[in-house]
Amino acid sequence: MRCARCDRLAIPQAVGHLPNGLVVFGWCLDCLEETGCSEIEAVGRRTTRRGNSCVLTLEPPPPPLMIAPTDRRRLLLGVATLLGSWSIVLIAVGIWTIRQPAPPNPSPLGNGRPTLFLVGGMATAVTALLLLCLSQGRELVRSRLACWWVQSGAFLLALAILVAGIVYHDPRRDPFVVVAAALAIGLSIAAHWQERRLPAVKSRADVISQDWVQRH
Ligand SMILES: [Zn+2]
């Protein structure tokens, strides 16, 4: 049997309930899902008098119970946001001071030097990331989107560090540039591995089709 809406094969045959309450028959599972049907009844071959129909729901499963207290997470998230903003300020000041001529008598502790701002800014950014991971916990580590963002962000950061190191070349800065770029690339690779370890996202129509095949 073919779908009355898109003319592809409509197997298994199914009945769906549209959001406005109408009952739809003769559409494939993809069309039923596309039109926002909240409940789908897949009908099997009627080999027995009773028939073997099963009701499958398209509602997402209920979210797992939150174990971590929300207040603690909010506090960590707030501190992480503050530290993240501060790290951006530090890195921006560091980049700005790179373009300024060096002071005639530089402080032996490196006060006001770009390296100090850049290293401090990156350390603050890493702390903010750690706090973010603590506040969002396993959901963040399991999110493909978060992995993708960390992967791309760290890679771009490494690229920016290398380009800045080449454009504003200073032999004394080389070790810092190499270490910072290596750390960023390492973070990017770690995020890539984590993303590959995550299970592939399945569409709900796939899940229902597999379920139907198993039952028949
Ligand atoms: Zn269809």
Side-chain angles (χ1 to χ4, degrees):
M1 180 185 167
R2 291 197 168 269
C3 170
R5 185 167 174 267
C6 70
D7 205 36
R8 285 179 298 194
L9 279 179
I11 295 175
Q13 294 178 31
V15 183
H17 297 259
L18 282 171
N20 60 15
L22 283 177
V23 176
V24 188
F25 181 71
W27 288 3
C28 64
L29 289 177
D30 286 327
C31 284
L32 289 171
E33 192 179 2
E34 256 176 59
T35 48
C37 290
S38 60
E39 193 182 307
I40 282 184
E41 191 177 346
V43 185
R45 293 186 305 265
R46 299 196 175 270
T47 48
T48 64
R49 197 178 291 172
R50 237 182 72 229
N52 46 354
S53 64
C54 50
V55 175
L56 304 162
T57 176
L58 275 181
E59 301 281 340
L65 288 173
M66 297 295 174
I67 298 163
T70 324
D71 286 346
R72 185 172 146 267
R73 290 171 52 155
R74 275 209 203 111
L75 182 71
L76 282 173
L77 197 63
V79 176
T81 312
L82 274 178
L83 283 178
S85 319
W86 181 234
S87 73
I88 291 171
V89 171
L90 281 179
I91 291 174
V93 170
I95 291 171
W96 183 74
T97 41
I98 283 177
R99 312 190 59 165
Q100 303 300 307
N105 48 352
S107 149
L109 291 174
N111 289 336
R113 299 295 303 134
T115 317
L116 192 75
F117 285 115
L118 288 178
V119 171
M122 270 169 219
T124 316
V126 168
T127 315
L129 267 180
L130 283 177
L131 283 179
L132 196 67
C133 289
L134 278 177
S135 70
Q136 299 303 307
R138 282 154 47 177
E139 292 134 66
L140 199 71
V141 178
R142 283 186 183 169
S143 151
R144 296 178 76 86
L145 190 68
C147 287
W148 186 84
W149 273 106
V150 171
Q151 190 185 328
S152 320
F155 183 75
L156 287 178
L157 182 67
L159 213 62
I161 292 170
L162 285 176
V163 168
I166 291 167
V167 171
Y168 307 104
H169 186 248
D170 178 349
R172 287 170 302 170
R173 271 204 298 269
D174 281 353
F176 294 104
V177 169
V178 170
V179 168
L183 279 177
I185 287 177
L187 184 64
S188 175
I189 292 173
H192 179 66
W193 279 346
Q194 172 64 24
E195 191 192 2
R196 285 183 56 177
R197 277 178 52 208
L198 295 173
V201 182
K202 281 183 181 174
S203 88
R204 282 178 292 170
D206 283 349
V207 173
I208 289 181
S209 293
Q210 275 178 9
D211 194 65
W212 187 83
V213 167
Q214 276 169 11
R215 282 163 189 262
H216 294 86

